Amino acid sequence: MPGIIVVGSQWGDEGKGKATDQMGDRVDFCVRYSGGNNAGHTLVVDGEKYAMHLLPSGILSPNSTPVIGNGVVIDLGVLFHEIDVLTGRGVDCSNLKVSSNAHIITSYHRTMDKVTERFAGKRKIGTTGRGIGPTYSDKINRMGIRVQDLFDEEHLRQKVEAALDQKNQILVKIYNRRHIEADEIVEELLAHGERLRPMVVDTVRLLNDGLDEGKIVLFEGAQAHHLDVDHGTYPYVTSSNPTAGGACTGTGVGPTRIDRVIGIAKAYTTRVGEGPFPTELHDETGEKLRTDGGEFGVTTGRPRRCGWFDALVVEAAATANAFTDVFLTKLDILSGWDRIPVCVAYDVNGTRHDRLPMSQQEFAEATPIYEELDGWHEDISGCREFDDLPVKAQDYVKRLEELIGTRISGIGVGPGREQTVMVHDLID
């Protein structure tokens, strides 16, 4: 039985939650492996909308055990708020499992995030201000607070004091902010500890035992390939590895246990925050895509930057993550266009590039070379089979498939769980 990874192939917000939800009732474990509450998934089930930031999408599937892996950074206040909201709406969250090795976002991480972004001015990255980057920084600097630390007050206090010895120097002397007391941080964390304790397990053993027993494990990434700290549009990236390889380090499941990697791609392209975006539209066309697609961040509410489909961006993600399948979302948003441009190459200072340039500077200077495809005007939201789609919509999907070099196995034609065209099964 397979281990399956779901990865965003653009700059996030592709609709990974919808793709994950399609498999939810057939999956035994749904695992979040990277990022924090700087990400968000929106799911629509039976007309009900659910927005989540830390909880795996599998929380809505009663047959699936939701797991937060060691690669995730957790804001406990946000986690418990999400649990309380879902519980109030009748969703059972009692089976949630959390890795003891996951790192905790504290209030001083959020403070550091905000003041450093403000200090950067025009050089800012465009973070969400949720403390994600500073938490991962502490993790790499070996001064982070982990879930397991919450259950030993003396040990926790020592770690918090060590972290604040450095951070208070920076906050007071560089940023002219107030000194943070260790006591208030320790009390805040301990207050969450007892509620968290029943959820904490050895998730590495849990998941590997599940695979040994023939159970299906779905690894759900946050953000996307081009926000990966190693492979994305650096420095305008997140602080973790949302790529397929990150699923292994973020959960402790080895690569030989992964059978399928599913890339999620929007039928056009969006991005939130700073950074290069060759196909971005700064006119009424981009505004129409934003309005029709409801392109506003789940986490921040910020309007997303919008542009046409960039085949080079998705092809690069398909290569680096070894996609076996692609799930194409929001095809319905393109209904009503006479012609639909697709970026098939770049012009960089007079030189044609048919693949993503190696240099970030070249990528920032890239001008898209478009191929225009015929559009369609039919409402496709009721289509459930590929042959139900208008011929021109079928042709659009087939051309994208050729350009990205990976089969398109599923197509989203609306926000609802049932508004999906499955071409190939994503599990069998």
Side-chain angles (χ1 to χ4, degrees), residues 37 66 78 132 151 180 183 242 262 269 321 373 375 406 408 416 421 424:
N37 58 305
V78 172
I132 310 301
F151 310 126
I180 297 175
D183 285 348
I262 302 168
T269 310
N321 293 278
L373 304 178
T406 307
I408 294 175
V421 172
H424 304 284

Side-chain angles (χ1 to χ4, degrees), residues 121-409:
K122 293 181 179 179
R123 297 185 301 277
K124 67 180 180 179
I125 301 300
T127 75
T128 60
R130 281 5 187 220
I132 310 301
T135 306
Y136 276 114
S137 179
D138 276 5
K139 176 179 179 177
I140 298 304
N141 285 324
R142 297 176 293 278
M143 56 191 300
I145 308 297
R146 299 198 293 181
V147 164
Q148 59 188 271
D149 298 329
L150 272 60
F151 310 126
D152 184 329
E153 182 174 351
E154 182 179 352
H155 179 64
L156 174 63
R157 184 175 297 278
Q158 290 173 356
K159 296 191 75 170
V160 169
E161 289 174 348
L164 286 177
D165 281 345
Q166 179 195 77
K167 287 177 174 53
N168 277 327
Q169 294 289 323
I170 297 171
L171 286 169
V172 174
K173 295 182 178 179
I174 297 178
Y175 297 123
N176 196 31
R177 304 284 294 211
R178 76 172 182 87
H179 180 278
I180 297 175
E181 296 293 338
D183 285 348
E184 64 184 77
I185 304 298
V186 172
E187 288 174 12
E188 173 190 329
L189 295 175
L190 289 175
H192 290 305
E194 287 311 305
R195 183 174 181 186
L196 186 66
R197 189 188 293 269
M199 308 174 193
V200 179
V201 299
D202 181 349
T203 55
V204 174
R205 184 64 60 188
L206 175 73
L207 297 173
N208 280 285
D209 285 350
L211 287 165
D212 287 343
E213 295 165 8
K215 294 181 178 178
I216 298 175
V217 178
L218 178 63
F219 302 87
E220 178 180 50
Q223 290 97 24
H225 172 88
H226 292 282
L227 289 176
D228 185 277
V229 69
D230 287 293
H231 302 287
T233 47
Y234 190 90
Y236 302 101
V237 292
T238 192
S239 302
S240 60
N241 294 111
T243 41
C248 297
T249 55
T251 62
V253 172
T256 58
R257 313 207 74 166
I258 305 302
D259 300 271
R260 186 165 290 184
V261 182
I262 302 168
I264 314 302
K266 199 174 287 185
Y268 47 100
T269 310
T270 63
R271 179 168 196 169
V272 171
E274 308 297 321
F277 182 178
T279 66
E280 183 175 10
L281 297 166
H282 299 280
D283 55 14
E284 64 275 5
T285 301
E287 186 58 42
K288 178 172 170 55
L289 284 173
R290 183 180 300 111
T291 301
D292 292 353
E295 297 297 350
F296 298 90
V298 176
T299 298
T300 64
R302 289 184 291 182
R304 296 176 186 142
R305 301 155 64 189
C306 297
W308 296 119
F309 187 89
D310 189 330
L312 281 72
V313 162
V314 179
E315 189 277 337
T319 299
N321 293 278
F323 290 163
T324 56
D325 306 82
V326 164
F327 189 103
L328 189 71
T329 62
K330 290 197 168 184
L331 185 64
D332 54 302
I333 303 304
L334 297 183
S335 293
W337 299 89
D338 293 324
R339 304 284 287 173
I340 304 175
V342 172
C343 178
V344 298
Y346 298 144
D347 180 296
V348 182
N349 300 319
T351 300
R352 181 184 172 105
H353 288 251
D354 294 306
R355 291 288 183 267
L356 216 63
M358 180 177 68
S359 159
Q360 283 299 308
Q361 186 59 37
E362 287 182 313
F363 184 65
E365 296 172 355
T367 300
I369 297 173
Y370 287 115
E371 175 182 314
E372 287 203 349
L373 304 178
D374 289 333
W376 61 94
H377 290 266
E378 296 90 335
D379 177 3
I380 64 172
S381 61
C383 296
R384 297 296 178 265
E385 301 290 338
F386 188 73
D387 289 341
D388 295 340
L389 294 171
V391 172
K392 291 176 181 177
Q394 295 181 33
D395 291 342
Y396 182 80
V397 173
K398 290 175 183 177
R399 182 58 179 142
L400 297 193
E401 207 168 40
E402 292 172 356
L403 290 167
I404 64 179
T406 307
R407 71 179 189 179
I408 294 175
S409 296

Side-chain angles (χ1 to χ4, degrees), residues 14-207:
E14 299 93 350
K16 295 178 290 295
K18 179 179 176 65
T20 301
D21 189 52
Q22 292 299 311
M23 298 175 274
D25 291 335
R26 303 163 62 193
V27 166
D28 298 293
F29 295 93
C30 183
V31 192
R32 174 79 182 272
Y33 64 82
S34 69
N37 58 305
N38 55 338
H41 296 310
T42 299
L43 301 177
V44 180
V45 180
D46 297 329
E48 291 284 319
K49 182 181 287 188
Y50 299 86
M52 290 169 286
H53 306 280
L54 276 171
L55 292 172
S57 299
I59 197 81
L60 298 181
S61 300
N63 298 326
S64 176
T65 297
V67 179
I68 295 177
N70 57 273
V72 179
V73 292
I74 306 173
D75 185 318
L76 293 173
V78 172
L79 176 64
F80 292 139
H81 175 72
E82 284 189 40
I83 290 172
D84 290 342
V85 169
L86 287 181
T87 300
R89 297 178 66 182
V91 177
D92 182 7
C93 299
S94 62
N95 204 27
L96 175 66
K97 310 299 180 187
V98 178
S99 169
S100 63
N101 288 337
H103 280 246
I104 299 296
I105 300 171
T106 70
S107 58
Y108 59 75
H109 291 124
R110 293 191 294 273
T111 298
M112 294 297 296
D113 197 355
K114 291 171 183 175
V115 297
T116 52
E117 271 285 273
R118 190 177 301 119
F119 187 78
K122 293 181 179 179
R123 297 185 301 277
K124 67 180 180 179
I125 301 300
T127 75
T128 60
R130 281 5 187 220
I132 310 301
T135 306
Y136 276 114
S137 179
D138 276 5
K139 176 179 179 177
I140 298 304
N141 285 324
R142 297 176 293 278
M143 56 191 300
I145 308 297
R146 299 198 293 181
V147 164
Q148 59 188 271
D149 298 329
L150 272 60
F151 310 126
D152 184 329
E153 182 174 351
E154 182 179 352
H155 179 64
L156 174 63
R157 184 175 297 278
Q158 290 173 356
K159 296 191 75 170
V160 169
E161 289 174 348
L164 286 177
D165 281 345
Q166 179 195 77
K167 287 177 174 53
N168 277 327
Q169 294 289 323
I170 297 171
L171 286 169
V172 174
K173 295 182 178 179
I174 297 178
Y175 297 123
N176 196 31
R177 304 284 294 211
R178 76 172 182 87
H179 180 278
I180 297 175
E181 296 293 338
D183 285 348
E184 64 184 77
I185 304 298
V186 172
E187 288 174 12
E188 173 190 329
L189 295 175
L190 289 175
H192 290 305
E194 287 311 305
R195 183 174 181 186
L196 186 66
R197 189 188 293 269
M199 308 174 193
V200 179
V201 299
D202 181 349
T203 55
V204 174
R205 184 64 60 188
L206 175 73
L207 297 173

